[in-house]
Amino acid sequence: MKLQLLALLFFSFSISVFSQETITESNSIESQFDKIYRTSTSYQVYKVISKERYQKLKLNVLDSLKSSKKAFNTKDQLLKTEIANIKEVKKNLSNTQVALSEAIKKEESIALFGIQLNKTTYNIILWSIITALILALAYFIFKFFRSNILTKEAQNNLIDVEQEFEIHRKKSLEREQKLRRQLQDEINKQRNS
């Protein structure tokens, strides 16, 4: 067993001395593993890798893992920041939509006696009131002219009646005066006789 170990060490030493290829950090990890496999020697069913190449590969893998972890952490932080930004934007969008719906509701409505009414309802109420007032005005104008005509007719009739009454009074006065004269004449006749 010791003999096998010594042979293994000898092979690894000889490989590192004879092989001028070095593992560079610019190669990918997969190519570095392939290079190690190609450049390693075989001992029975085992592959013999030099400690120096193993350490370089280990450092390269650890560096790659660190850089990957760093990139992952950076992207994770960026993702968290973007998620927070998206939440903020959604919150702002929600607030903006609420404000927009309130503004549209306010724009589409009119306050009448402290009650918010839809513009259509307001227009219907307004035009109904205007129509009712116009109809009432027309009715009162009609009534005024009708009563004015009736008043004028009544005044004309009153003037006619007053004239007839004046004529009747004059006739009655004349008749009365005539009757008094006749009575006085009769009284005078009766006294003289």
Side-chain angles (χ1 to χ4, degrees):
M1 187 91 170
K2 285 185 179 184
L3 186 60
Q4 289 176 351
L5 260 173
L6 280 174
L8 185 64
L9 283 172
F10 179 74
F11 262 7
S12 64
F13 179 72
S14 64
I15 289 175
S16 64
V17 170
F18 292 117
S19 172
Q20 296 297 321
E21 294 181 29
T22 59
I23 301 173
T24 61
E25 292 182 25
S26 64
N27 294 338
S28 69
I29 292 176
E30 184 179 353
S31 67
Q32 289 178 29
F33 271 109
D34 289 342
K35 192 174 190 180
I36 286 280
Y37 185 79
R38 273 184 304 172
T39 58
S40 64
T41 59
S42 296
Y43 176 73
Q44 295 179 357
V45 291
Y46 305 105
K47 279 288 196 182
V48 179
I49 302 172
S50 72
K51 288 181 180 181
E52 181 183 297
R53 287 187 181 205
Y54 170 76
Q55 288 297 328
K56 281 186 179 182
L57 180 62
K58 180 181 173 184
L59 287 174
N60 287 343
V61 168
L62 290 176
D63 283 345
S64 295
L65 287 175
K66 278 183 187 177
S67 65
S68 296
K69 193 181 238 184
K70 189 175 182 181
F72 176 77
N73 287 339
T74 304
K75 288 182 180 180
D76 190 45
Q77 285 290 51
L78 182 63
L79 181 64
K80 286 178 182 176
T81 305
E82 289 302 317
I83 288 172
N85 286 344
I86 288 171
K87 284 181 182 178
E88 185 67 28
V89 167
K90 283 182 179 179
K91 183 180 175 186
N92 288 341
L93 176 64
S94 173
N95 291 341
T96 304
Q97 286 176 337
V98 167
L100 177 64
S101 65
E102 286 177 6
I104 289 172
K105 184 179 178 184
K106 219 177 219 183
E107 182 68 28
E108 292 294 322
S109 65
I110 295 175
L112 179 67
F113 304 117
I115 300 170
Q116 289 287 17
L117 294 174
N118 189 337
K119 282 187 177 181
T120 306
T121 307
Y122 173 78
N123 284 337
I124 290 171
I125 291 172
L126 179 69
W127 286 109
S128 297
I129 290 172
I130 290 172
T131 304
L133 289 174
I134 289 173
L135 289 174
L137 179 66
Y139 174 75
F140 286 118
I141 289 172
F142 172 74
K143 281 292 200 179
F144 172 77
F145 283 121
R146 187 171 173 211
S147 62
N148 192 21
I149 290 170
L150 292 175
T151 304
K152 284 184 180 181
E153 284 179 14
Q155 286 174 344
N156 288 339
N157 289 341
L158 179 63
I159 292 172
D160 289 345
V161 169
E162 283 178 348
Q163 287 174 350
E164 286 177 15
F165 179 71
E166 192 61 37
I167 292 171
H168 176 69
R169 190 176 61 83
K170 284 182 182 178
K171 284 184 181 180
S172 296
L173 189 59
E174 286 176 8
R175 219 177 316 139
E176 199 176 304
Q177 286 174 353
K178 196 176 182 182
L179 282 174
R180 277 190 192 166
R181 277 192 193 155
Q182 284 177 355
L183 180 62
Q184 191 67 37
D185 286 343
E186 283 297 318
I187 292 176
N188 286 342
K189 270 188 191 180
Q190 289 288 334
R191 273 189 197 167
N192 287 340
S193 12

